[in-house]
Amino acid sequence: MKNVIEWIKTNPIVTACAVVALLSIVIIAYAYVVAAPKYVQEKSEELKEQVQRQNALMRVPVPIPNEDPNAPPDIYSVVINPTVITEVSSIYSKIQTQYNGILANAQEKNSRNHAQVLLGGTSIWPNANPTQFFDLYVRAATDYKDHFKALFDTQNANNWNMPRMAASNPPTQEELELILAQSAFDFINSVGAQAATDLTNSQASQLYAEQRVQLMSALTNRARSIHLYVDLPAEEDRFAPEPTDDSTPAPTTPSTGFGFSGSGGGSTAQNPGFPAGYPFRIESWAFSDQPPTPDQLWDGQVQLWIMRDIMRTIARVNRVGETVQVAGPDGVKRNEAASVVNSPVKRLLTLQTLPGYVGMHNTGIALGGSGDSEFGVPSLETFAAPTISGQPGVPGASVSSVYPTPPIELAPKEATDRAVEHFGITPTGRVSNSVFDVRHTRLTIDIEAAKLPSFMELLQETNFMTVIKIDITDLDEYDILQEGYVYGHADVVRAVLVVESLWFRNWTEPLMPDIVKEKLLIKQPQSIDPNTGLPAQ
């Protein structure tokens, strides 16, 4: 050992090199045995994660909307990289731009010709207090009723953009009896007889033939002078005869056996003072001595919008104001003014809109019962009508709210969410939502069978109106003629249509009174002032 130490002392450089070599061997051994495997493992795991991320990006399913809006989206497996991100973002940006454009066009079409006709504008909209604006609310109810009268008043000067159609009942039994009586009187005088009993069999047959011609002429002339048969009150029917003095006896008419049943009918509780066959439903608040409530006026406004849309469609398909070509009995085509005789829609029997919004306040009438039972939707809430001090004849009373309060779970979601579809309510599945509201209307018309499909297409073209239910009954034109209706030579059917119309909220919501917004769950309900029927301040 002493010799080794001495050697180290005498050879320090060799010794230092030996130490360094030994340390190097130890370090190298540590690197290979301990550090290298750990490093390799860490790098391997890192590389594995990178590979997994790359593999995931190479197999990302990306949904791309189909060109057919009713078809499900197409799913593509793509590699996510900046180029793909830019391309997909561009696609969705274009879709959003198109959506905004479609929505804007829908709003423009939906709001076109739908000015606030009650009071002609914004005098009391949307939340004026009926107590403070009593006269304006009464005028609004009068405007509401006047719009029904103006519908067929071709001389009306109000700028309400109403379709100017001439409409009437057929000649009444009394009118025809007067015609027949005058014909008999003239014929009896012409043959020198004193009474009908003095006529010979030949003369009686001649009188019968002449009266048949005059009867058909009277019925046909009425049909050629109007665009539509409608059961109107006498004061609204410009063809109705002037009332006669009851003290003047009517001429005696010999029995002809024509069997004409005439037209007319008593008024109904629904529309007091109107004939039983009046096609429109005028709400009872319009006949009250109290001012209507804001929600009643709003529903009346929407009702008028729908009525005018449908009546404009009828005027369009009937070519009101145009000259049309028709083939005569000899087959030669002639120009005639459009009338019931040569127009597709012959008679309007019913045009009534169901109160409330489909899917929020009712389940519509597409899958409901028959008759008018669907219009008796009970109100779920009532509030006190305004008591106007200092105004005679305006007692306080309990007035039903137009719209019941829907369950809170029916509250519309965000406009960007897909609207819920309910095919158990309507065949289209459309119900009121955050984008549009849905209303149902029953329309009953007599129409040429061959023209019914084109009429339904025109309804859709007019303003997002879709026929979702239809019942068709064939008519016997001879039975119809017995009632005084001249329909021409085409095959005519009676069609009962349920018409679904859409109303986009991007323009209707700003016009809605607050109480309507609450009943549509657009805003939180407020407490109601029992003296006004409006939200408490």
Side-chain angles (χ1 to χ4, degrees):
M1 179 62 67
K2 183 176 179 181
N3 293 333
V4 172
I5 295 172
E6 288 295 332
W7 184 85
I8 291 174
K9 288 180 179 180
T10 56
N11 299 282
I13 296 176
V14 174
T15 302
C17 290
V19 171
V20 171
L22 181 61
L23 289 175
S24 298
I25 292 171
V26 172
I27 292 172
I28 292 172
Y30 175 82
Y32 274 98
V33 176
V34 179
K38 183 178 180 181
Y39 175 78
V40 170
Q41 183 180 1
E42 291 177 354
K43 287 298 182 180
S44 176
E45 291 178 354
E46 182 179 342
L47 290 174
K48 185 177 180 180
E49 291 179 0
Q50 292 178 0
V51 169
Q52 289 176 344
R53 286 198 299 268
Q54 290 176 357
N55 290 337
L57 291 176
M58 293 176 64
R59 293 190 295 270
V60 172
V62 176
I64 303 296
N66 196 292
E67 292 183 359
D68 181 359
N70 295 317
D74 297 322
I75 306 297
Y76 295 94
S77 181
V78 299
V79 177
I80 296 298
N81 54 46
T83 302
V84 172
I85 294 174
T86 301
E87 184 65 24
V88 173
S89 298
S90 174
I91 291 174
Y92 277 93
S93 177
K94 290 178 182 177
I95 292 174
Q96 185 63 42
T97 301
Q98 292 173 356
Y99 169 80
N100 293 337
I102 291 172
L103 194 60
N105 290 336
Q107 173 186 348
E108 192 279 328
K109 179 178 180 178
N110 198 222
S111 61
R112 189 188 308 153
N113 297 322
H114 294 133
Q116 291 172 250
V117 293
L118 297 186
L119 292 181
T122 59
S123 303
I124 58 176
W125 297 100
N127 295 305
N129 192 316
T131 305
Q132 299 174 353
F133 296 89
F134 175 81
D135 292 339
L136 290 180
Y137 272 84
V138 172
R139 279 178 49 203
T142 302
D143 273 356
Y144 170 74
K145 290 183 291 187
D146 286 347
H147 274 78
F148 293 94
K149 297 179 181 179
L151 192 62
F152 300 112
D153 183 2
T154 58
Q155 308 301 320
N156 193 287
N158 289 319
N159 185 24
W160 284 338
N161 193 28
M162 303 290 275
R164 297 287 186 247
M165 282 189 287
S168 175
N169 295 301
T172 64
Q173 179 75 39
E174 292 74 17
E175 290 179 80
L176 295 177
E177 287 178 351
L178 286 173
I179 293 173
L180 297 178
Q182 186 64 49
S183 172
F185 179 79
D186 293 340
F187 183 84
I188 290 171
N189 285 339
S190 68
V191 298
Q194 296 298 317
T197 55
D198 298 332
L199 298 177
T200 65
N201 290 338
S202 175
Q203 289 171 336
S205 297
Q206 184 180 351
L207 171 60
Y208 181 81
E210 290 184 5
Q211 286 184 319
R212 285 181 61 90
V213 172
Q214 291 184 357
L215 179 65
M216 283 303 304
S217 177
L219 297 177
T220 303
N221 288 342
R222 175 63 59 84
R224 292 189 181 280
S225 61
I226 61 176
H227 302 114
L228 193 67
Y229 283 117
V230 183
D231 194 359
L232 296 174
E235 63 272 15
E236 296 181 21
D237 191 339
R238 63 190 180 100
F239 295 94
E242 294 291 334
T244 58
D245 186 351
D246 293 338
S247 63
T248 303
T252 303
T253 308
S255 175
T256 60
F258 290 129
F260 175 72
S261 63
S263 61
S267 63
T268 64
Q270 175 186 303
N271 294 323
F274 290 82
Y278 191 64
F280 308 111
R281 179 184 181 89
I282 302 180
E283 299 298 335
S284 59
W285 53 262
F287 302 98
S288 174
D289 57 358
Q290 303 176 58
T293 57
D295 55 337
Q296 288 173 333
L297 280 183
W298 174 257
D299 203 68
Q301 173 70 86
V302 177
Q303 178 185 356
L304 290 178
W305 282 336
I306 296 173
M307 178 192 72
R308 288 168 58 176
D309 283 345
I310 294 177
M311 294 308 300
R312 270 197 294 266
T313 305
I314 293 176
R316 183 178 173 187
V317 74
N318 276 12
R319 300 160 296 184
V320 171
E322 299 180 16
T323 300
V324 298
Q325 274 196 342
V326 295
D330 54 0
V332 178
K333 291 186 176 181
R334 297 178 175 83
N335 291 330
E336 293 182 1
S339 68
V340 163
V341 177
N342 53 45
S343 295
V345 182
K346 310 293 185 182
R347 184 182 179 188
L348 173 65
L349 294 97
T350 305
L351 202 175
Q352 297 181 353
T353 298
L354 179 69
Y357 289 83
V358 177
M360 297 288 285
H361 310 124
N362 57 64
T363 56
I365 54 178
L367 305 178
S370 58
D372 290 333
S373 59
E374 301 90 344
F375 289 93
V377 178
S379 173
L380 301 181
E381 289 192 355
T382 60
F383 55 82
T387 302
I388 312 299
S389 59
Q391 295 287 346
V394 187
S398 179
V399 180
S400 295
S401 172
V402 174
Y403 312 115
T405 301
I408 193 65
E409 57 266 20
L410 296 180
K413 308 301 185 292
E414 294 295 329
T416 54
D417 293 342
R418 180 179 176 85
V420 177
E421 297 175 328
H422 291 283
F423 292 99
I425 294 179
T426 73
T428 63
R430 291 190 286 256
V431 293
S432 299
N433 58 80
S434 60
V435 178
F436 55 75
D437 289 305
V438 181
R439 300 298 294 259
H440 282 179
T441 301
R442 179 187 287 110
L443 171 66
T444 307
I445 54 176
D446 290 350
I447 183 172
E448 293 180 10
K451 299 299 179 64
L452 182 56
S454 59
F455 174 71
M456 294 166 61
E457 290 178 2
L458 280 178
L459 279 174
Q460 189 169 24
E461 183 180 320
T462 298
N463 185 29
F464 302 108
M465 293 186 289
T466 305
V467 175
I468 56 177
K469 182 180 180 181
I470 182 168
D471 293 319
I472 301 175
T473 305
D474 191 27
L475 295 178
D476 188 324
E477 284 77 10
Y478 292 102
D479 291 341
I480 293 295
L481 184 59
Q482 286 285 331
E483 300 177 15
Y485 297 94
V486 177
Y487 283 177
H489 303 292
D491 185 28
V492 177
V493 297
R494 179 157 297 170
V496 182
L497 313 174
V498 174
V499 181
E500 179 181 273
S501 57
L502 308 182
W503 300 90
F504 285 84
R505 285 193 179 178
N506 51 8
W507 72 272
T508 59
E509 183 178 333
L511 305 178
M512 293 178 182
D514 284 343
I515 187 172
V516 176
K517 294 179 182 179
E518 292 174 8
K519 298 296 184 178
L520 289 173
L521 301 178
I522 297 174
K523 61 180 296 185
Q524 291 294 323
Q526 302 178 32
S527 58
I528 299 298
D529 186 341
N531 294 321
T532 64
L534 292 172
Q537 301 296 326

